[in-house]
Amino acid sequence: NAGVTQTPKFRILKIGQSMTLQCAQDMNHNYMYWYRQDPGMGLKLIYYSVGAGITDKGEVPNGYNVSRSTTEDFPLRLELAAPSQTSVYFCASSTDRELNSPLHFGNGTRLTVT
Amino acid sequence: GNSVTQMEGPVTLSEEAFLTINCTYTATGYPSLFWYVQYPGEGLQLLLKATKADDKGSNKGFEATYRKETTSFHLEKGSVQVSDSAVYFCALSASNTGKLIFGQGTTLQVKP
């Protein structure tokens, strides 16, 4: 079972560069999420999606964009990287077929912007 | 707004010691409450959950009881092992879209 797969695992960007963090899940989950994890701050929700073609902002969406053209994929785009975006990014998914179903997380992408 | 507050870490214990990690929350309505665990280099995984007041979630020897009167969901384990060393996150869900609000995480280190 692949579950939630994130690529790349690590990336270093220069200020102003752009990149896309990839996320794919093979569990046919309708709900998908992007979180960022900063030391001592827990996880903050960036964007989420309740199904293909539907996305919405979370707590910290500025500087990011998402799309959800298929159920499986939920890429996160950084257009103009800034040092404040140095973080560990986690993608997660869950099913909408039961209330309070657990989130399944990928192993994360560690991004450094210098 | 909704929020979760956890006790500051790191928590360092000897093997077989008793563990408590405090978690309190602020929420409108009746949220569901969760504990997630993160082992080094991995994503988070669900440890246990409780969906209504007085429910007790349990898994792998860990327990937590949903206390509405004190807005708390403290995590406990009677006898910790070195393999329990990880970061523990308390979280709440107050919507039907599965979105979670996380606490800041508490690092647990268990020494042999």
Side-chain angles (χ1 to χ4, degrees), chain A residues 3-5 22-35 45 47-52 54-56 67-68 70-75 90-95 103-104, chain B residues 97 99:
Chain A
V4 178
T5 302
Q22 301 292 345
C23 174
Q25 53 91 9
D26 62 357
M27 297 171 281
N28 202 30
H29 286 169
N30 274 331
Y31 294 165
M32 295 188 75
Y33 317 86
W34 275 105
Y35 285 90
L45 183 65
Y47 270 94
Y48 68 100
S49 168
V50 298
I54 307 169
T55 62
D56 209 346
S67 59
R68 184 94 183 271
T70 67
T71 299
E72 293 77 21
D73 300 299
F74 190 42
F90 286 100
C91 179
S93 71
S94 67
T95 180
L103 268 60
H104 297 258
Chain B
T97 59
K99 291 186 298 178

Side-chain angles (χ1 to χ4, degrees), chain B residues 15-93:
Chain B
E15 210 164 19
E16 299 183 4
F18 185 86
L19 169 71
T20 300
I21 299 178
N22 289 340
C23 171
T24 57
Y25 67 91
T26 302
T28 53
Y30 302 95
S32 296
L33 301 173
F34 306 81
W35 278 99
Y36 278 77
V37 59
Q38 183 182 31
Y39 298 104
E42 298 183 9
L44 282 71
Q45 53 187 280
L46 179 68
L47 180 59
L48 53 85
K49 70 179 182 184
T51 58
K52 62 182 188 297
D54 300 324
D55 266 3
K56 178 186 282 188
S58 61
N59 185 26
K60 300 182 182 178
F62 291 90
E63 292 183 339
T65 301
Y66 188 163
R67 302 276 187 213
K68 189 161 170 45
E69 63 275 13
T70 54
T71 61
S72 65
F73 192 53
H74 305 320
L75 182 69
E76 296 182 336
K77 186 174 185 182
S79 175
V80 293
Q81 306 300 312
V82 172
S83 57
D84 293 327
S85 298
V87 183
Y88 292 82
F89 291 91
C90 187
L92 72 81
S93 174

